[in-house]
Amino acid sequence: MTDFDSDHELAAWAATSAGELLLDVRTQGLEGRELKDAGDMAAHEHLMKVLAEHRPDDAILSEESWRGTESAHDRSLTDRVWIIDPLDGTREFSEPPRDDWAVHVALWERGAGDGDGGLGELIAGAVAQPGIGQTFSTGDRVVVPPRTSDRPRIVVSRTRPPAFVEAFAAEIDAELVPMGSAGAKVMAVVRDVADAYIHAGGQYEWDSAAPVAVARAAGLFTSRVDGTPLRYNQDDVSLPDLIVCRPELSDTILEFVRRHGTD
């Protein structure tokens, strides 16, 4: 296996190779819950092996960790923690040929970031979207292309779009763009498929860490819905809301939330 001096390169390779494995799982004749579970576990085991081999001193926080497979290190005592979602969008993954699912690999480091009071920050990340054959990485320094739509486009859940986002879209005459996984939604903003992603329906750190790292590197605005910073590797890994958008839309979104809330 290749050696990786750069955390950016390792994140991108790990996400991409897990995505290739997931594409192979999709060809094995499984359906429904069996396909979801097989994909989750195959990608999780692959990422755990890759990170243990290349960064043996780092801790790992994975969505699958809550199902019985723990990191070899205590993340509360470790200065570097990989935050991974081996398969973001299991429903979409289990519905071929849907492509709005992703693999998330991010790295958090204690003491990183300016003026964070030692709370730590994301320093690398990658989001692989195997269905479209692309991996977006902090190492690539993706620049968001100029906006191509006259109307703002807000990406939302295809099954449960928040009512407050629908109200906000009506107020600014925005178009709603339904999509699956959180990673696919954030990358839609990076790709100029959408201009904003606003969420307040409940998520965990692994749902947004890698997408937020990539979005920040691309120059997008990121925050909680109240405008406070997104913090990772916390004792409570619930991180239920976020905003990712083009910088010019951030004040408009935050002002709407201040006036109307998210109920």
Side-chain angles (χ1 to χ4, degrees):
M1 196 178 286
T2 307
D3 289 329
F4 297 95
D5 294 328
S6 163
D7 293 320
H8 303 286
E9 292 178 358
L10 176 57
W13 186 86
T16 301
S17 58
E20 292 170 349
L21 181 60
L22 285 164
L23 289 176
D24 182 65
V25 171
R26 253 189 170 185
T27 69
Q28 295 174 7
L30 302 174
E31 296 181 352
R33 172 53 62 185
E34 285 188 344
L35 178 55
K36 293 177 183 179
D37 290 346
D40 263 334
M41 192 49 59
H44 173 72
E45 290 177 350
H46 174 76
L47 291 175
M48 294 293 285
K49 179 180 178 181
V50 166
L51 295 174
E53 177 172 344
H54 292 283
R55 298 294 187 268
D57 296 328
D58 297 350
I60 303 172
L61 171 61
S62 170
E63 178 178 15
E64 301 309 309
S65 295
W66 294 155
R67 302 179 187 178
T69 307
E70 296 295 339
S71 171
H73 302 286
D74 184 343
R75 64 186 179 89
S76 68
L77 304 175
T78 308
D79 288 340
R80 287 164 48 98
V81 180
W82 293 89
I83 304 174
I84 63 175
D85 190 344
L87 175 51
D88 180 56
T90 54
R91 176 183 297 182
E92 290 73 27
F93 172 74
S94 70
E95 298 175 357
R98 293 197 69 94
D99 59 23
D100 48 345
W101 50 278
V103 178
H104 299 177
V105 179
L107 176 61
W108 173 94
E109 185 173 281
R110 195 179 312 279
D114 296 330
D116 69 354
L119 294 175
E121 192 53 274
L122 301 172
I123 63 167
V127 177
Q129 284 192 257
I132 63 173
Q134 287 188 267
T135 296
F136 305 88
S137 165
T138 51
D140 294 336
R141 297 296 177 186
V142 175
V143 176
V144 178
R147 183 169 149 186
T148 56
S149 173
D150 293 333
R151 295 175 66 198
R153 300 157 297 176
I154 304 174
V155 66
V156 295
S157 169
R158 67 186 182 102
T159 56
R160 49 187 187 281
F164 85 96
V165 177
E166 293 180 328
F168 174 65
E171 180 170 296
I172 68 169
D173 189 31
E175 174 189 359
L176 295 179
V177 182
M179 197 170 292
S181 79
K185 292 186 186 80
V186 175
M187 293 309 102
V189 185
V190 172
R191 296 164 53 211
D192 186 40
V193 174
D195 303 301
Y197 172 38
I198 312 165
H199 179 81
Q203 286 183 348
Y204 295 91
E205 290 188 11
W206 48 76
D207 291 308
S208 65
V212 163
V214 173
R216 288 175 178 171
L220 293 171
F221 173 87
T222 69
S223 78
R224 301 285 300 271
V225 292
D226 63 359
T228 57
L230 293 155
R231 295 294 185 194
Y232 294 89
N233 195 38
Q234 303 297 292
D235 291 338
D236 180 358
V237 296
S238 173
L239 192 53
D241 56 76
L242 82 160
I243 298 168
V244 177
C245 68
R246 288 180 177 271
E248 63 269 23
L249 288 175
S250 61
D251 288 344
T252 303
I253 295 169
L254 291 170
E255 176 57 27
F256 181 88
V257 173
R258 278 192 287 267
R259 286 188 284 116
H260 299 284
T262 59
D263 296 331

